[in-house]
Amino acid sequence: MLESNKDSLKLEAMKRVVGLIAKGKNASELFPAVVKNVASKNIELKKLVYVYLVRYAEEQQDLALLSISTFQRALKDPNQFIRGSALRVLSSIRVPIIVPIMMLAIKEAAADLSPYVRKTSAHAIQKLYSMDPDQKEQLIEVIEKLLKDKSTLVAGSVVMAFEEVCPDRIDLIHKNYRKLCNLLVDVEEWGQVVIISMLTRYARTQFTSPWKEGAMFDENNEKAFYDSDSEEKKDQTEAQPYIMDPDHRLLLRNTKPLLQSRNTAVVMSVAQLYWHLAPKHEVNIVTKSLVRLLRSHREVQYIVLQNIATMSIQRKGMFEPFMKSFYVRSTDATHIKTLKVAASLFCTYVKSQDKAFAAATIQAIGRCATNISEVTDTCLNGLVLLLSNRDETVVAESVVVIKKLLQTQPTQHSEIIKHMAKLFDNITVSMARASILWLMGEYCERVPKIAPDVLRKMAKTFTAEEDIVKLQTVNLAAKLYLTNSKQTKLLTHYDIRDRTRFIRQLIVPNEKSGALNKYARRILLAPKPAPVLESAFKDRDRYQLGTLSHSLNTKATGYLELSDWPAVAPDQSVRNVEVIEPVRNPDTLLIISEEESSEESDKTSSDSGKSSSGSEKSSSESEPEQKKKKKMTKAPQKKSKPTNLCLLRFIPVFPMSLQVTTPSFGPVKTYELLHHMTGKGLSAKYHFSRQPCLYQPSMVAVQVILTNSSDHSLEEIHIGDRSPASLNIHCFNTIERLEPEASVTVSMGIDFSDSTQAANFQLCTKEDQFSVSIQPAVGELLMPSTMTEQDFSKEQGGFNLIIFYVGPSDHILVSQISIFFLKGIFGIYFDRTAEDMKGEREGE
């Protein structure tokens, strides 16, 4: 079928081959027959061929190399999927000879118009770097270019390439930091995980620690970021010891909605970010989300519980409301009520059929008894009761834990030692028997009548015991010989080779033995320090939460250390980005002197995120400087940076009696108004209906689709405050109730005042308010009309595009452009309207 002349048969064959691959079958033998079809003109067939080649190109490198010219041609294919697939196949052929070809292909793909192809180029970067690390510098240039990409499809992939190739080049992130924070909620889930991990490391190098005592945390303290230098210095002298950097707060605020993500890895990533970066009083917001993950698969539960254990050890009481979900690791006496609840759970856990689980429960009881003196006796008595359990694993673990507890208070528990001696014959687990023998020997003077009898019994079964039991029997005999030699002298002849010979020389002196026997009592009966009962998770906090190293408690390959907080925060201006508006018509370009150009650049850099309308001069500028900045030249006369403050305003001069009609061409595009994560379940999308507005002739009709994505009803959905307050909006009627998974379409009218300035307002429910914004493209503000070809030809010269230059000079450039040259103009941002241009020479 693959060698048939009919594309239909080839397509059916490829579907079957890909189906075999999906089932895990080996289809590598078909490679020669499949690769022949790589040049097929059938797009669907070509896609399946590339799917196959991506899978087997690395295994069949020689055959794949024969078709490399075809792959190179496919990089120019009009179909973005074919271009991306060709690059994937090229990067899968891991032969050093094609490294230059791959590098060229990656650079071209990084500049591709399709975000899918650019995403593929980011993936190829990692493959090329693993094959030839010498290409690092060139690859960093491509990464730097892709980091500036505004597509959410590319963001996660390029950050992954950054982490693989140059994770130490933090300087590449500075200019892209705020963009990544703002794009984060819309990036695909695994991209979110990578970006959050990278931003966690970045934040630890750029911001000071929020864990200082007396620190001030204000959600709206971004104002300090935009104040002038003089005001900032004044504030620093009067402020609290710590004020959070606005960029630090931006990261915390934009990651918080992702705690509701359906992807457990995303939730875990946000939790570790808050753990390592957030002020201590804000970390608790992750607890509910982590406990929610405990309802997932066992593998997820295992990882999440490891991280919860580390958190609860460091922050006592953090998970106290959810203590039923995992083992108690609390060590504070104020948690006794919680421990009583846990005690009832322990009783149930001990009866579990999972032996390892039951043993871990007994260890948890031991830790509670050790760390909280108020419950020590209760826990110890409970462990003694477990010695009568029918389950040998439970009994053995109880004996081991009791042994450790008795070392902390040996003088108070002689009765427990006697009770354990009585149960000795019924205990069969070697570790438990050895532990009892050790206790008998260590505290033999407190049970002088019982210890020799236990030794007598052990002498009878000595040859049948495990080695660990034999060794403790020898130790017991040696200790009893020193404290009660009369009863045990006849039992001190043994032959567990090394230990027995040593102890015999130590306790039974003869002519050959030296002075060592004089110190026998000090050696064998020396005071022993009590063991420390610690959680196995105590030392894991040295690794970043959520990483493989944290799970294994050892440094894994590729683990990147989380740096300490800097004592002084680096310069935050490195994250400022100069916003450059596109200039569409070079014939109307006006530029200003270098002094003013640099002034504008500095101003843009310092404002970073403010709207460009705030162009007022600082009062601190001197008068000579202002005069100096008023110099202005035309483009041909001097080479300098163009200003971006220009106004585009359409002035229709054709008759007003035109017939308004429904638009015939151009698909209606839907925009997102409110994401369901940001809106706590409420999502909103809108589109321009491109019909005359029923409310007012000056308004633009907008259709809004409201959807309830939550699991509960939303009430009283309505429009709230507007910005500016004078904004003329015809609001939809209040929606009293919107059920889960339900949607409703409502109509609005907005008067944009013939500009593309955004309409900002609040979309409110009964409990919350969400700030949203609608910004139209220029084309959405134009009224569709119909006319005859004769009328159109007559009026075509009467439609003018007036471009005003807004600057310190009084020069105004006027240019008339025919309507046929308007292609590409729609969508340009309107900085100001003609009404704002007071004082200008309107006559020109």
Side-chain angles (χ1 to χ4, degrees):
M1 293 172 71
L2 287 170
E3 294 175 352
S4 170
N5 293 326
K6 296 182 178 180
D7 282 349
S8 59
L9 288 177
K10 292 180 179 180
L11 187 60
E12 179 61 28
M14 284 308 305
K15 288 180 179 178
R16 295 185 185 182
V17 171
V18 173
L20 289 174
I21 296 173
K23 294 178 181 178
K25 306 285 186 176
N26 183 7
S28 59
E29 294 180 358
L30 296 171
F31 194 94
V34 172
V35 79
K36 292 178 183 177
N37 296 293
V38 73
S40 173
K41 295 182 179 180
N42 186 304
I43 296 297
E44 295 303 317
L45 176 60
K46 208 169 189 177
K47 289 180 180 179
L48 292 176
V49 169
Y50 275 112
V51 169
Y52 177 91
L53 294 177
V54 168
R55 170 65 181 81
Y56 288 109
E58 190 168 350
E59 297 179 15
Q60 304 282 345
Q61 294 178 353
D62 293 339
L63 289 174
L65 281 172
L66 296 176
S67 303
I68 198 166
S69 59
T70 305
F71 302 146
Q72 288 180 278
R73 286 196 300 272
L75 292 172
K76 307 291 184 181
D77 194 278
N79 187 296
Q80 61 173 352
F81 184 87
I82 299 300
R83 296 198 302 275
S85 298
L87 182 57
R88 290 179 65 193
V89 174
L90 268 178
S91 60
S92 299
I93 306 174
R94 304 180 64 81
V95 179
I97 195 173
I98 68 166
V99 166
I101 297 175
M102 281 183 61
M103 178 59 73
L104 181 61
I106 289 173
K107 288 181 177 180
E108 291 179 353
D112 197 280
L113 294 177
S114 166
Y116 171 76
V117 179
R118 300 198 299 272
K119 175 188 177 77
T120 306
S121 72
H123 292 166
I125 288 174
Q126 304 167 57
K127 296 181 181 179
L128 179 55
Y129 178 71
S130 64
M131 183 169 64
D132 187 4
D134 293 337
Q135 304 296 322
K136 181 175 181 177
E137 293 305 318
Q138 293 188 61
L139 292 176
I140 289 177
E141 293 177 6
V142 181
I143 290 173
E144 184 175 10
K145 180 179 180 179
L146 288 174
L147 279 171
K148 299 175 183 177
D149 201 303
K150 296 181 180 180
S151 172
T152 55
L153 194 64
V154 180
S157 300
V158 66
V159 171
M160 188 67 224
F162 169 84
E163 291 286 79
E164 289 287 333
V165 178
C166 52
D168 55 332
R169 287 290 304 274
I170 295 296
D171 58 294
L172 299 180
I173 304 300
H174 291 325
K175 299 292 184 184
N176 303 289
Y177 172 82
R178 293 170 186 156
K179 181 195 71 177
L180 289 173
C181 289
N182 291 322
L183 289 180
L184 194 55
V185 71
D186 295 317
V187 176
E188 48 91 17
E189 292 169 339
W190 294 110
Q192 290 173 343
V193 174
V194 176
I195 294 174
I196 290 172
S197 177
M198 183 274 294
L199 291 179
T200 302
R201 291 192 306 106
Y202 177 86
R204 285 293 286 261
T205 65
Q206 300 300 310
F207 309 129
T208 55
S209 173
W211 303 335
K212 300 176 182 177
E213 294 186 6
M216 181 177 70
F217 306 100
D218 183 2
E219 185 67 25
N220 299 315
N221 66 359
E222 285 88 337
K223 184 178 180 181
F225 180 72
Y226 298 114
D227 287 341
S228 64
D229 292 342
S230 59
E231 291 174 343
E232 187 175 345
K233 291 177 180 177
K234 181 180 178 181
D235 291 344
Q236 287 176 354
T237 60
E238 302 173 355
Q240 295 287 335
Y242 172 84
I243 296 179
M244 181 174 285
D245 189 297
D247 287 328
H248 191 169
R249 174 58 64 191
L250 175 69
L251 177 58
L252 294 175
R253 188 191 307 117
N254 285 15
T255 53
K256 184 178 178 180
L258 298 180
L259 287 172
Q260 309 302 321
S261 174
R262 63 184 179 181
N263 188 302
T264 55
V266 174
V267 177
M268 192 66 246
S269 294
V270 178
Q272 66 84 25
L273 180 140
Y274 264 77
W275 175 258
H276 292 296
L277 300 181
K280 292 183 179 179
H281 68 276
E282 295 184 22
V283 177
N284 287 348
I285 68 169
V286 308
T287 53
K288 289 184 179 180
S289 299
L290 288 179
V291 172
R292 172 172 62 86
L293 299 185
L294 296 179
R295 300 171 185 165
S296 188
H297 304 291
R298 287 191 174 187
E299 296 81 3
V300 174
Q301 293 176 9
Y302 176 74
I303 298 298
V304 172
L305 282 171
Q306 284 185 325
N307 288 274
I308 287 177
T310 299
M311 291 180 177
S312 57
I313 288 172
Q314 298 297 318
R315 307 269 173 89
K316 300 165 186 173
M318 180 175 172
F319 288 88
E320 189 169 308
F322 313 101
M323 197 63 75
K324 293 183 180 181
S325 301
F326 55 93
Y327 296 144
V328 173
R329 307 199 182 277
S330 171
T331 60
D332 195 324
T334 59
H335 301 156
I336 294 176
K337 286 186 178 179
T338 306
L339 291 174
K340 288 181 179 179
V341 174
S344 62
L345 292 172
F346 287 157
C347 294
T348 304
Y349 294 163
V350 167
K351 298 174 184 177
S352 172
Q353 296 299 316
D354 188 337
K355 306 303 181 185
F357 181 63
T361 302
I362 295 171
Q363 293 172 12
I365 295 173
R367 284 195 291 276
C368 292
T370 302
N371 296 326
I372 304 177
S373 58
E374 288 84 351
V375 297
T376 298
D377 292 337
T378 303
C379 292
L380 196 53
N381 292 334
L383 290 171
V384 171
L385 292 176
L386 292 178
L387 295 176
S388 303
N389 196 290
R390 296 180 180 179
D391 193 323
E392 292 182 358
T393 305
V394 172
V395 174
E397 197 64 41
S398 300
V399 169
V400 174
V401 174
I402 288 173
K403 168 200 164 187
K404 294 177 180 178
L405 290 177
L406 291 182
Q407 286 182 258
T408 63
Q409 297 174 319
T411 59
Q412 302 176 17
H413 303 293
S414 298
E415 292 301 320
I416 293 179
I417 298 174
K418 293 177 182 178
H419 182 67
M420 295 173 71
K422 293 178 182 178
L423 296 173
F424 185 78
D425 292 340
N426 298 325
I427 296 174
T428 59
V429 178
S430 299
M431 180 58 73
R433 290 173 67 84
S435 296
I436 293 176
L437 291 173
W438 186 91
L439 283 172
M440 291 295 169
E442 192 67 19
Y443 308 114
C444 56
E445 293 178 334
R446 294 185 177 85
V447 284
K449 296 181 179 180
I450 296 177
D453 193 51
V454 172
L455 181 59
R456 179 183 59 79
K457 292 180 180 179
M458 286 305 303
K460 295 179 181 179
T461 60
F462 185 80
T463 57
E465 299 288 350
E466 295 288 339
D467 286 351
I468 188 172
V469 179
K470 289 180 179 180
L471 292 173
Q472 291 304 326
T473 303
V474 172
N475 285 341
L476 174 59
K479 293 173 183 178
L480 285 175
Y481 182 85
L482 294 172
T483 59
N484 189 358
S485 60
K486 183 178 179 180
Q487 287 185 282
T488 58
K489 190 172 184 179
L490 297 176
L491 295 172
T492 55
H493 303 289
Y494 323 102
D495 58 2
I496 291 243
R497 192 172 56 197
D498 296 338
R499 180 68 64 87
T500 303
R501 290 172 181 172
F502 165 71
I503 290 179
R504 187 168 185 171
Q505 292 295 322
L506 187 63
I507 65 175
V508 183
N510 54 44
E511 297 82 7
K512 295 182 180 180
S513 61
L516 193 61
N517 60 357
K518 296 178 181 179
Y519 304 100
R521 177 178 288 273
R522 291 174 62 184
I523 292 174
L524 293 174
L525 296 175
K528 279 85 172 175
V532 180
L533 293 175
E534 292 182 341
S535 169
F537 300 94
K538 184 175 182 181
D539 297 329
R540 297 196 182 199
D541 59 342
R542 64 182 183 271
Y543 298 112
Q544 185 175 347
L545 292 187
T547 60
L548 178 63
S549 298
H550 177 270
S551 181
L552 300 177
N553 200 22
T554 185
K555 188 173 182 179
T557 303
Y559 175 73
L560 299 173
E561 295 282 352
L562 204 59
S563 62
D564 294 330
W565 296 100
V568 179
D571 183 12
Q572 62 181 7
S573 65
V574 297
R575 291 183 289 278
N576 294 345
V577 180
E578 182 178 357
V579 180
I580 300 177
E581 297 291 341
V583 178
R584 301 298 179 98
N585 191 345
D587 294 332
T588 63
L589 175 64
L590 276 179
I591 60 177
I592 55 181
S593 63
E594 293 180 359
E595 294 86 354
E596 182 166 354
S597 178
S598 63
E599 186 269 344
E600 289 293 340
S601 177
D602 293 342
K603 183 173 183 63
T604 304
S605 177
S606 63
D607 286 352
S608 180
K610 279 190 173 181
S611 66
S612 57
S613 60
S615 58
E616 299 176 0
K617 298 291 184 291
S618 172
S619 59
S620 61
E621 285 187 353
S622 63
E623 190 172 334
E625 288 177 339
Q626 291 182 0
K627 290 181 178 179
K628 187 177 182 180
K629 291 176 182 177
K630 287 186 178 179
K631 295 179 180 178
M632 177 176 173
T633 60
K634 290 189 177 181
Q637 297 176 0
K638 190 172 183 178
K639 294 182 179 179
S640 59
K641 295 182 180 179
T643 181
N644 298 304
L645 295 177
C646 61
L647 168 72
L648 300 178
R649 183 161 179 82
F650 291 98
I651 304 177
V653 295
F654 41 77
M656 299 305 294
S657 59
L658 290 174
Q659 179 183 355
V660 178
T661 183
T662 302
S664 303
F665 303 100
V668 176
K669 186 177 180 180
T670 301
Y671 305 89
E672 185 172 71
L673 183 64
L674 180 65
H675 194 275
H676 68 90
M677 286 189 177
T678 308
K680 298 182 179 180
L682 175 64
S683 64
K685 297 182 178 180
Y686 71 93
H687 65 269
F688 297 93
S689 60
R690 299 177 182 172
Q691 299 287 345
C693 186
L694 300 176
Y695 310 118
Q696 290 184 22
S698 61
M699 287 186 172
V700 177
V702 180
Q703 297 282 329
V704 181
I705 304 171
L706 301 170
T707 305
N708 183 1
S709 303
S710 66
D711 56 0
H712 60 276
S713 300
L714 298 175
E715 299 179 352
E716 299 181 14
I717 303 174
H718 61 281
I719 300 296
D721 296 338
R722 310 162 194 184
S723 177
S726 59
L727 181 65
N728 187 11
I729 297 181
H730 182 89
C731 306
F732 57 84
N733 295 328
T734 300
I735 300 172
E736 298 297 335
R737 188 181 184 89
L738 187 61
E739 299 296 335
E741 305 302 328
S743 296
V744 62
T745 302
V746 294
S747 298
M748 295 176 59
I750 304 176
D751 187 352
F752 291 100
S753 300
D754 292 332
S755 77
T756 55
Q757 290 285 4
N760 302 308
F761 56 93
Q762 286 189 331
L763 186 59
C764 308
T765 64
K766 186 177 181 181
E767 299 177 349
D768 300 289
Q769 297 87 34
F770 309 102
S771 296
V772 295
S773 177
I774 294 180
Q775 183 170 7
V778 175
E780 302 293 356
L781 302 178
L782 301 181
M783 187 177 295
S785 62
T786 182
M787 65 176 69
T788 64
E789 183 177 353
Q790 182 179 1
D791 291 338
F792 178 79
S793 299
K794 181 181 178 181
E795 300 294 341
Q796 76 174 66
F799 190 57
N800 300 283
L801 173 66
I802 311 300
I803 301 183
F804 292 93
Y805 170 76
V806 182
S809 174
D810 59 356
H811 286 75
I812 299 178
L813 179 68
V814 182
S815 175
Q816 294 187 350
I817 305 177
S818 172
I819 192 171
F820 291 109
F821 291 96
L822 291 176
K823 183 179 180 181
I825 295 295
F826 295 153
I828 282 186
Y829 181 70
F830 274 58
D831 284 308
R832 301 174 68 191
T833 61
E835 287 77 15
D836 295 326
M837 298 174 59
K838 293 179 180 179
E840 300 291 344
R841 296 169 59 188
E842 296 182 2
E844 290 192 26

Tab-separated table of all heavy atoms in Angstrom, residues 174-175 178 225 247 572-578 604-608:
chain	number	residue	atom	x	y	z
A	174	HIS	N	15.899	39.559	32.448
A	174	HIS	CA	15.527	40.877	32.976
A	174	HIS	C	14.414	41.544	32.170
A	174	HIS	O	13.358	41.885	32.710
A	174	HIS	CB	16.753	41.793	33.006
A	174	HIS	CG	17.784	41.386	34.015
A	174	HIS	ND1	17.455	40.836	35.242
A	174	HIS	CD2	19.146	41.466	34.000
A	174	HIS	CE1	18.561	40.592	35.921
A	174	HIS	NE2	19.592	40.961	35.190
A	175	LYS	N	14.657	41.737	30.880
A	175	LYS	CA	13.705	42.478	30.049
A	175	LYS	C	12.416	41.708	29.788
A	175	LYS	O	11.407	42.292	29.371
A	175	LYS	CB	14.350	42.829	28.699
A	175	LYS	CG	15.590	43.720	28.789
A	175	LYS	CD	15.231	45.121	29.261
A	175	LYS	CE	16.453	46.017	29.257
A	175	LYS	NZ	16.160	47.367	29.789
A	178	ARG	N	8.619	40.702	33.316
A	178	ARG	CA	7.223	41.114	33.499
A	178	ARG	C	6.320	40.483	32.451
A	178	ARG	O	5.178	40.115	32.740
A	178	ARG	CB	7.129	42.641	33.441
A	178	ARG	CG	7.814	43.309	34.626
A	178	ARG	CD	7.940	44.813	34.441
A	178	ARG	NE	8.726	45.397	35.518
A	178	ARG	CZ	9.385	46.527	35.436
A	178	ARG	NH1	9.357	47.210	34.303
A	178	ARG	NH2	10.078	46.992	36.459
A	225	PHE	N	7.168	52.215	43.086
A	225	PHE	CA	7.996	51.872	41.940
A	225	PHE	C	8.009	52.990	40.899
A	225	PHE	O	8.973	53.189	40.182
A	225	PHE	CB	7.457	50.579	41.322
A	225	PHE	CG	8.221	50.120	40.121
A	225	PHE	CD1	9.486	49.595	40.255
A	225	PHE	CD2	7.674	50.203	38.855
A	225	PHE	CE1	10.191	49.153	39.155
A	225	PHE	CE2	8.367	49.767	37.752
A	225	PHE	CZ	9.628	49.236	37.912
A	247	ASP	N	7.873	44.061	41.437
A	247	ASP	CA	8.040	42.894	40.556
A	247	ASP	C	7.948	41.594	41.340
A	247	ASP	O	7.504	40.570	40.803
A	247	ASP	CB	9.385	42.977	39.833
A	247	ASP	CG	9.377	44.049	38.752
A	247	ASP	OD1	8.304	44.272	38.170
A	247	ASP	OD2	10.423	44.661	38.514
A	572	GLN	N	16.541	47.450	39.987
A	572	GLN	CA	15.296	46.961	39.390
A	572	GLN	C	15.028	47.552	38.011
A	572	GLN	O	14.170	47.055	37.272
A	572	GLN	CB	14.111	47.279	40.312
A	572	GLN	CG	13.888	48.762	40.542
A	572	GLN	CD	12.725	49.030	41.480
A	572	GLN	OE1	12.171	48.104	42.052
A	572	GLN	NE2	12.365	50.285	41.640
A	573	SER	N	15.770	48.580	37.631
A	573	SER	CA	15.547	49.187	36.319
A	573	SER	C	15.964	48.269	35.178
A	573	SER	O	15.597	48.512	34.029
A	573	SER	CB	16.313	50.512	36.216
A	573	SER	OG	17.711	50.289	36.267
A	574	VAL	N	16.715	47.199	35.467
A	574	VAL	CA	17.117	46.274	34.398
A	574	VAL	C	15.917	45.573	33.792
A	574	VAL	O	16.002	45.021	32.696
A	574	VAL	CB	18.132	45.232	34.925
A	574	VAL	CG1	19.407	45.894	35.372
A	574	VAL	CG2	17.533	44.391	36.062
A	575	ARG	N	14.784	45.575	34.511
A	575	ARG	CA	13.576	44.915	33.996
A	575	ARG	C	12.677	45.879	33.229
A	575	ARG	O	11.627	45.467	32.732
A	575	ARG	CB	12.796	44.269	35.143
A	575	ARG	CG	13.503	43.083	35.755
A	575	ARG	CD	12.669	42.426	36.833
A	575	ARG	NE	12.576	43.236	38.041
A	575	ARG	CZ	13.497	43.276	38.991
A	575	ARG	NH1	14.584	42.544	38.862
A	575	ARG	NH2	13.339	44.026	40.062
A	576	ASN	N	13.067	47.157	33.155
A	576	ASN	CA	12.284	48.126	32.392
A	576	ASN	C	12.465	47.879	30.898
A	576	ASN	O	13.563	47.584	30.438
A	576	ASN	CB	12.712	49.550	32.733
A	576	ASN	CG	12.385	49.906	34.172
A	576	ASN	OD1	11.602	49.220	34.824
A	576	ASN	ND2	12.993	50.966	34.665
A	577	VAL	N	11.379	48.000	30.153
A	577	VAL	CA	11.412	47.754	28.712
A	577	VAL	C	10.955	49.005	27.989
A	577	VAL	O	9.918	49.581	28.320
A	577	VAL	CB	10.496	46.571	28.329
A	577	VAL	CG1	10.538	46.328	26.827
A	577	VAL	CG2	10.908	45.324	29.090
A	578	GLU	N	11.728	49.432	26.993
A	578	GLU	CA	11.356	50.592	26.185
A	578	GLU	C	10.322	50.165	25.163
A	578	GLU	O	10.561	49.272	24.344
A	578	GLU	CB	12.584	51.154	25.478
A	578	GLU	CG	12.271	52.403	24.659
A	578	GLU	CD	13.514	52.970	24.007
A	578	GLU	OE1	14.610	52.409	24.242
A	578	GLU	OE2	13.377	53.936	23.263
A	604	THR	N	10.609	56.694	28.870
A	604	THR	CA	9.928	55.426	28.661
A	604	THR	C	10.481	54.362	29.578
A	604	THR	O	9.769	53.563	30.151
A	604	THR	CB	10.086	54.992	27.199
A	604	THR	OG1	9.598	56.026	26.367
A	604	THR	CG2	9.317	53.722	26.924
A	605	SER	N	11.819	54.353	29.721
A	605	SER	CA	12.458	53.357	30.580
A	605	SER	C	12.038	53.500	32.021
A	605	SER	O	11.815	52.532	32.723
A	605	SER	CB	13.981	53.470	30.460
A	605	SER	OG	14.614	52.572	31.321
A	606	SER	N	11.921	54.740	32.481
A	606	SER	CA	11.594	54.938	33.887
A	606	SER	C	10.135	54.659	34.171
A	606	SER	O	9.772	54.239	35.257
A	606	SER	CB	11.938	56.372	34.315
A	606	SER	OG	11.146	57.302	33.586
A	607	ASP	N	9.251	54.887	33.157
A	607	ASP	CA	7.836	54.674	33.408
A	607	ASP	C	7.435	53.223	33.302
A	607	ASP	O	6.606	52.753	34.047
A	607	ASP	CB	6.988	55.514	32.428
A	607	ASP	CG	7.011	56.984	32.804
A	607	ASP	OD1	7.554	57.280	33.877
A	607	ASP	OD2	6.518	57.817	32.032
A	608	SER	N	8.016	52.454	32.357
A	608	SER	CA	7.844	51.001	32.250
A	608	SER	C	6.448	50.521	32.560
A	608	SER	O	6.174	49.955	33.602
A	608	SER	CB	8.821	50.287	33.173
A	608	SER	OG	8.652	48.901	33.057
